[in-house]
Structure formats: structure tokens, C-alpha cells
């Protein structure tokens, strides 16, 4: 995609052989026609034959050579056909006008064809440059790579466009500080290593965000171009180009090279803006989560603590005067509120851990039957009277999971189901395979979740609409389902809630099925049937 200005062909030595041969063949054909049959034509028609051949030959010849051949042909025509023949003298003004007209027509045709070739070459160059800019823009816009990784490709684009030696220097990852240098001078570089003068010019251009060198109006005596990689109001890098194409007259080429550089600079600025936006969003989410956690600690922890304090104070001051049943009821209240406080604290800490970047899970192969069985065992120890049953499909594949997190997920779902269901309503936990995934579900016969809340219930600190908690049950802190969704997403899955046909809800955790581990190879046996 060489983009340097195309000019008319130069000396004959630079012409392709076929073009020179075709042009000379036309001239020879014209002279052959004149010598063989020109005696039957008048002088004007003979001149027309020579002009026609010269015009056709000018299509393939450079301007200078075409005018020279036209002038030589006119002199030979004067020698051979214009009276007095055999001399270069011209008798009569009419013949002189004919010869001058031939010279002018030869020159005009050559000049017009040369101008047309230059315009065609310029149009082709513009088309190539536009196509190069389009492809480069699409590469920067649609590629998944960070713009800094495409810096060597930018150097290749600039080199192919002008054939010059290219040195590129750009700001490293991170926001661009105006007038500052990166820590430790750790620039991102590509292309050829420049000398001290080149590196100084690159730094100056990066700071000033304006081109330098011949034809730029800024440090024109530099001897090479330095072009900024511009974004909005600042440069993200600079490119130095040394070569024959770097000259004050090649303004069109410099503008094309600057456009290539500016496309990269705009892409770099977009990438940095997206990174800044993501970082700001992360800080906002972290701040929002921190504020919400503090609100939960200050509000939701206070209720069980107050209950525990009141029950413990009653036992301390009036325990001797209480009946055994009263003391047992207060002790049971302390145990239940302490368990509630422990679950609330676990969920709060777990949500903060799961929302933190760089989370590492302790993954192992676990049986879905064991995960469901362990959840039921823990629940029955805590609530022996709860009407909870479990069911698993046979031959389920193993789960590659963090067993402690999945146990907490089922524990939260069961706690949520029992809290929002009447005491006599059954709750079921099951594991099945559906649509190529493992589904862990907890189903209840509670009031259900309104359609408008089926996405919101998994957000932190959303306790649901009024009326979903039966009388005598206390609403939770709104963290349990949020933790469930965070655990599911950490395993590459998702949480869903759907209404049941005869009332209630089914909370489902959809987990991917990973390639199963290879089983142990069968042990070799001897002839007696024992191990070999």
C-alpha cells in the first residue's frame, strides 16, 4: 500500500520494455504507411497520419520522451515530405504553419495525457490510502487486543506507506499524565531503535502533541518527520520517520501517515477511557457494597444482639426465680439468635469475598448426592422439626466445585424457603440434570415471588415486597440470595427463580457440567483371582 505521490514515468530506461516497444512500433507503422502510400495523399493528410501515430504512442510514453519523438518526427516529416524535399528549409507560410501546428499538437497531446496519468495515479493512491485507513480503523475497532499490543503493527503500516525507517514510542498502560514521564522511563516502543536525537524529538512531540520536521511549520530543519499519536487534547505517543519520502513537498503523504497515527491514538484513548470507567465503576460498587455492609452490620446485627443481651440479662438477674421452662426458652432464644447472627455474619463476609477481584476457589470433584445430603444433615441438626425432603436423579455427573460454598448456597436457600413458608408447608431440595447442566433446586409452598421481583431478589439487601414473610417469621437481612447468586456465578453458573404450578417458588442453581475425571484403572489379577 505504498502511498507516496506517483508521478509520470521518467527516463526511457525506467519504462517497461513493452511500453517502449509498443510506442516505437506505432511510430514505425506510421512512417511505413507514409513511405509506402503517402505519395497518393496530400501533405495535410500525411501530417494527420503522423499526428495520429504520435497521439497513440503518447499513451505509453512519458511526457518528455513523447514531445521529443513528436519534434523528431516533425523534423523528419519536413525533410522527407515538405517541399523542397531533402532539406530542412520551408517554402511558404502555409507549410510553416503546418509544421508548427504538428509540433504544438504533439506537445499538447503529450501534456494532456501526462496530466491524465498523474490524476489517475493520484486517484489510485487516494483509493489505496482510504482502503488502508478503513482496514486499520476496523482492526483497531474490532480487534480484541489492547492498542499497545498493536504498536508494532502501526510501525509496519507506516513503513509500508512510505518506505521510511520507523521508530515509535508510546505512553505505557495507565492514564496519561500531561507533562509527566512514565515511572522509570518505561515507554512502550516499536520499530527501529533511534539515536539520542530521535528519542529527544519523540519525547518533545509527545509532550507538544504537534508534528515536527520538513513541511510541518515546526522545526523544519530537523531532517525527518516526527508525528504525534493524537487522542483528544493530548498525544499518546509519537512516531519518527526517516527516508527519501520525508520531504517538504510530500504533504499528502504526511497527512496520510498522520491519519494512521491518529487512528491509533484515538483507539488508545478509548481503551484508557473504558479502563478508567471500569475502575470507577468498580470503586463505586466497592463503596456501595462497603456502605451497604456497614448498614447491615449497624442495623441487622443489632436486632439479634439486642435479643441475646435481653435474654442473657434476664437469666443473669432473674434466672433463680424463673421456672425451668422459662430458662430453657430464654436459652433457646440465645442459641437461635446466635445462629442467626452467625449466618448473617457469614453471608456478609462471604459476599464481600466473592465480590472481590481475583477470587480463587478451592475446587474438587464432588457428588451432587453428597452435597444435597450434607445440606439436609446440617438443616435437621438446626431445625429437627422442619418438613424438608431430598431427592436426586440417579447417575448424575460429578461437580467440579467448592463444596463449602455450595453447602452455604443450599443452606441459604433452605433457610430462605423455611422462613417464607408456613410451618406445615413442605420444602424439597433436589438435584437433577437439565439442558446439559446440573440443577440444584429448593422448592417451597410459600406465597411465591412476584414477577417484578424475580431478578431483584438476588440483589444485596433486597428483602422482597411486603407480605412474603408469614406471620411469626422475621425477615432476613437480604444477603442470603445475593450470596447464592455470587456463589453460582463464581462456579460459572447462574441463579433462577420460577413460580410453581400450585403455589410457591423454586430457587434453582444451574451449574455447568465439566469434563469428568478419569476413573482408576482396573487392578491386574493373577490366575488365582488375587492382585498380581
Amino acid at each position: 500500500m505504498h502511498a507516496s505521490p506517483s508521478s509520470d514515468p521518467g527516463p526511457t530506461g525506467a519504462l517497461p520494455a513493452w511500453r517502449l516497444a509498443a510506442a516505437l512500433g506505432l511510430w514505425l507503422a506510421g512512417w511505413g504507411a507514409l513511405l509506402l502510400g503517402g505519395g497518393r495523399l496530400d501533405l495535410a493528410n500525411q501530417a494527420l497520419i503522423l499526428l495520429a501515430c504520435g497521439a497513440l504512442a503518447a499513451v505509453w510514453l512519458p511526457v518528455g520522451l513523447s514531445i521529443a519523438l513528436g519534434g523528431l518526427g516533425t523534423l523528419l516529416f519536413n525533410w522527407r515530405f515538405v517541399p523542397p524535399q531533402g532539406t530542412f528549409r520551408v517554402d511558404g507560410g502555409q507549410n510553416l504553419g503546418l509544421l508548427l501546428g504538428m509540433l504544438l499538437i504533439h506537445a499538447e497531446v503529450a501534456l494532456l495525457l501526462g496530466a491524465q496519468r498523474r490524476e489517475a495515479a493520484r486517484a489510485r493512491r487516494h483509493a489505496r490510502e482510504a482502503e488502508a485507513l478503513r482496514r486499520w480503523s476496523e482492526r483497531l475497532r474490532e480487534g480484541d487486543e489492547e492498542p499497545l499490543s498493536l504498536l508494532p503493527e502501526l510501525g509496519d503500516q507506516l513503513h509500508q506507506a512510505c518506505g521510511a525507517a520507523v521508530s515509535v514510542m508510546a505512553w505505557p498502560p495507565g492514564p496519561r499524565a500531561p507533562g509527566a514521564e512514565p515511572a522509570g522511563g518505561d515507554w512502550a516502543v516499536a520499530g527501529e531503535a533511534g539515536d539520542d536525537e530521535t528519542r529527544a524529538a519523540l519525547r518533545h512531540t509527545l509532550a507538544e502533541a504537534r508534528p515536527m520536521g520538513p513541511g510541518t511549520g515546526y522545526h523544519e530543519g530537523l531532517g525527518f518527520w516526527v508525528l504525534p499519536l493524537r487522542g483528544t487534547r493530548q498525544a499518546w505517543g509519537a512516531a519518527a520517520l526517516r527516508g527519501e519520502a520525508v520531504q517538504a513537498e510530500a504533504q499528502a503523504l504526511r497527512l496520510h501517515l498522520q491519519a494512521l497515527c491518529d487512528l491509533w491514538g484515538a483507539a488508545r484513548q478509548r481503551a484508557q477511557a473504558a479502563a478508567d470507567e471500569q475502575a470507577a465503576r468498580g470503586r463505586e460498587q466497592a463503596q456501595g457494597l462497603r456502605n451497604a455492609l456497614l448498614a447491615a452490620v449497624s442495623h441487622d446485627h443489632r436486632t439479634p444482639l439486642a435479643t441475646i443481651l435481653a435474654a442473657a440479662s434476664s437469666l443473669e438477674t432473674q434466672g433463680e426465680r424463673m421456672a425451668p421452662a422459662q430458662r430453657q426458652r430464654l436459652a433457646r432464644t440465645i442459641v437461635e439468635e446466635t445462629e442467626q447472627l452467625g449466618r448473617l455474619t457469614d453471608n456478609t463476609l462471604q459476599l464481600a469475598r466473592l465480590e472481590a477481584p481475583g477470587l480463587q476457589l478451592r475446587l474438587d470433584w464432588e457428588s451432587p448426592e453428597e452435597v444435597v445430603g450434607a445440606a439436609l444433615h446440617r438443616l435437621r441438626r438446626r431445625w429437627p422439626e422442619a418438613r424438608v425432603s431430598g431427592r436426586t436423579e440417579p447417575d448424575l455427573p460429578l461437580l467440579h466445585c467448592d463444596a463449602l460454598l455450595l453447602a452455604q448456597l443450599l443452606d441459604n436457600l433452605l433457610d430462605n424457603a423455611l422462613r417464607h413458608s408456613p410451618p406445615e408447608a413442605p420444602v424439597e431440595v433436589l438435584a437433577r440434570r437439565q439442558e446439559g447442566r446440573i440443577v440444584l433446586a429448593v422448592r417451597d409452598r410459600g406465597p411465591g415471588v412476584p414477577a417484578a421481583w424475580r431478578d431483584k431478589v438476588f440483589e444485596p439487601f433486597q428483602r422482597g415486597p411486603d407480605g412474603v414473610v408469614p406471620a411469626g417469621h422475621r425477615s432476613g437481612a437480604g444477603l442470603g440470595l445475593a450470596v447464592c447468586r455470587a456463589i453460582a456465578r463464581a462456579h460459572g453458573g447462574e441463579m433462577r427463580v420460577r413460580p410453581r404450578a400450585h403455589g410457591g417458588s423454586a430457587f434453582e442453581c444451574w451449574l455447568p457440567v465439566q469434563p469428568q475425571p478419569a476413573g482408576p484403572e482396573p487392578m491386574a489379577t493373577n490366575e488365582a483371582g488375587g492382585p498380581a
Side-chain angles (χ1 to χ4, degrees):
M1 61 174 188
H2 195 284
S4 58
S6 300
S7 59
D8 200 56
T12 57
L15 285 175
W18 69 269
R19 293 177 60 179
L20 183 59
L24 294 178
L26 282 171
W27 275 105
L28 292 176
W31 278 103
L34 287 177
L35 293 175
L36 292 176
R40 295 188 292 273
L41 300 174
D42 60 18
L43 194 60
N45 287 323
Q46 291 173 338
L48 285 176
I49 292 175
L50 197 62
L51 285 173
C53 293
L56 291 174
V59 173
W60 291 294
L61 294 176
V63 173
L65 182 57
S66 180
I67 293 176
L69 288 177
L72 179 61
T74 302
L75 288 176
L76 294 177
F77 182 79
N78 179 27
W79 174 275
R80 178 66 179 81
F81 295 103
V82 177
Q85 297 177 354
T87 67
F88 290 110
R89 287 191 305 107
V90 180
D91 290 344
Q94 185 175 2
N95 291 338
L96 180 61
L98 175 64
L99 294 174
L100 291 176
M102 290 176 64
L103 285 173
L104 291 175
I105 291 173
H106 276 303
E108 184 174 3
V109 168
L111 292 172
L112 288 175
L113 288 175
Q116 187 273 335
R117 282 197 298 269
R118 286 191 296 273
E119 290 299 321
R122 187 177 294 111
R124 288 192 298 270
R125 188 187 75 243
H126 289 163
R128 287 195 301 270
E129 292 176 350
E131 178 64 16
L133 290 172
R134 184 191 65 79
R135 288 198 304 266
W136 182 230
S137 176
E138 290 181 353
R139 178 79 172 92
L140 291 168
R141 184 177 65 254
E142 299 176 359
D144 296 332
E145 299 93 339
E146 209 278 339
L148 279 173
S149 66
L150 299 178
L151 203 61
E153 193 168 333
L154 172 62
D156 294 340
Q157 296 268 356
L158 297 174
H159 175 72
Q160 293 174 19
C162 64
V166 179
S167 301
V168 186
M169 182 176 71
W171 189 265
R176 167 86 163 88
E181 294 254 340
D186 190 17
W187 298 95
V189 295
E192 299 186 6
D195 54 18
D196 292 341
E197 182 186 24
T198 302
R199 288 191 292 271
L202 287 169
R203 283 186 172 84
H204 185 74
T205 298
L206 196 149
E208 296 293 327
R210 59 184 298 187
M212 298 168 53
T216 63
Y218 187 61
H219 293 289
E220 296 202 16
L222 190 61
F224 57 94
W225 279 334
V226 188
L227 306 179
L229 313 182
R230 295 178 295 200
T232 304
R233 298 186 300 274
Q234 63 181 348
W236 290 91
L241 301 99
R242 293 178 178 270
E244 295 181 358
V246 179
Q247 50 186 329
E249 298 81 16
Q251 294 303 306
L253 173 61
R254 182 175 61 81
L255 293 176
H256 171 64
L257 299 176
Q258 184 64 68
L260 290 172
C261 293
D262 289 346
L263 284 174
W264 185 93
R268 175 70 175 84
Q269 177 134 355
R270 287 195 302 271
Q272 186 60 48
D276 292 344
E277 180 183 2
Q278 184 176 3
R281 189 181 300 114
R283 290 192 297 270
E284 181 181 359
Q285 290 176 350
Q287 185 62 38
L289 180 61
R290 187 180 299 111
N291 293 339
L293 292 176
L294 291 174
V297 170
S298 63
H299 180 270
D300 295 297
H301 283 59
R302 187 172 298 171
T303 301
L305 284 174
T307 305
I308 293 170
L309 180 60
S313 298
S314 299
L315 286 174
E316 180 184 18
T317 59
Q318 304 177 17
E320 296 179 355
R321 297 192 296 272
M322 289 182 180
Q326 288 179 309
R327 289 197 298 270
Q328 186 177 5
R329 187 167 57 252
L330 289 175
R332 182 60 184 169
T333 299
I334 293 174
V335 171
E336 290 178 352
E337 293 297 331
T338 302
E339 290 176 349
Q340 171 68 14
L341 183 61
R343 285 193 299 274
L344 179 60
T345 303
D346 289 343
N347 283 331
T348 302
L349 296 177
Q350 198 66 270
L351 184 62
R353 186 173 78 90
L354 292 169
E355 294 288 343
L359 173 67
Q360 295 293 329
L361 302 181
R362 293 188 291 269
L363 300 177
D364 202 352
W365 293 101
E366 303 288 345
S367 166
E369 293 88 347
E370 293 180 359
V371 173
V372 171
L376 289 175
H377 179 68
R378 284 192 304 273
L379 180 73
R380 289 186 177 120
R381 283 193 306 172
R382 191 167 72 247
W383 285 344
E385 71 282 1
R387 299 178 60 185
V388 180
S389 62
R391 179 166 59 89
T392 61
E393 287 186 359
D395 301 324
L396 288 177
L398 297 177
L399 286 171
H400 196 223
C401 64
D402 187 321
L404 293 178
L405 288 180
L406 284 191
Q408 185 174 2
L409 180 145
L410 288 177
D411 193 52
N412 286 349
L413 292 179
L414 288 168
D415 182 75
N416 182 75
L418 292 171
R419 187 185 304 277
H420 292 81
S421 301
E424 69 280 2
V427 173
E428 182 184 21
V429 56
L430 60 89
R432 70 178 186 273
R433 187 165 186 170
Q434 184 174 346
E435 299 178 8
R437 288 189 280 181
I438 298 294
V439 180
L440 303 178
V442 173
R443 307 193 297 188
D444 61 55
R445 289 297 181 185
V449 180
W453 278 82
R454 287 173 192 161
D455 289 330
K456 294 171 62 176
V457 291
F458 294 108
E459 297 177 2
F461 310 106
Q462 296 292 333
R463 293 178 172 83
D466 296 335
V468 299
V469 181
H473 290 251
R474 192 175 67 200
S475 176
L479 285 175
L481 293 179
V483 172
C484 291
R485 183 175 66 175
I487 292 173
R489 289 181 174 176
H491 286 83
E494 190 53 77
M495 286 297 303
R496 301 178 186 175
V497 58
R498 61 178 181 83
R500 300 184 69 187
H502 299 290
S505 301
F507 286 84
E508 300 174 341
C509 173
W510 292 63
L511 298 173
V513 176
Q514 304 291 345
Q516 298 296 290
E521 296 183 358
M523 184 180 297
T525 59
N526 55 24
E527 295 180 358

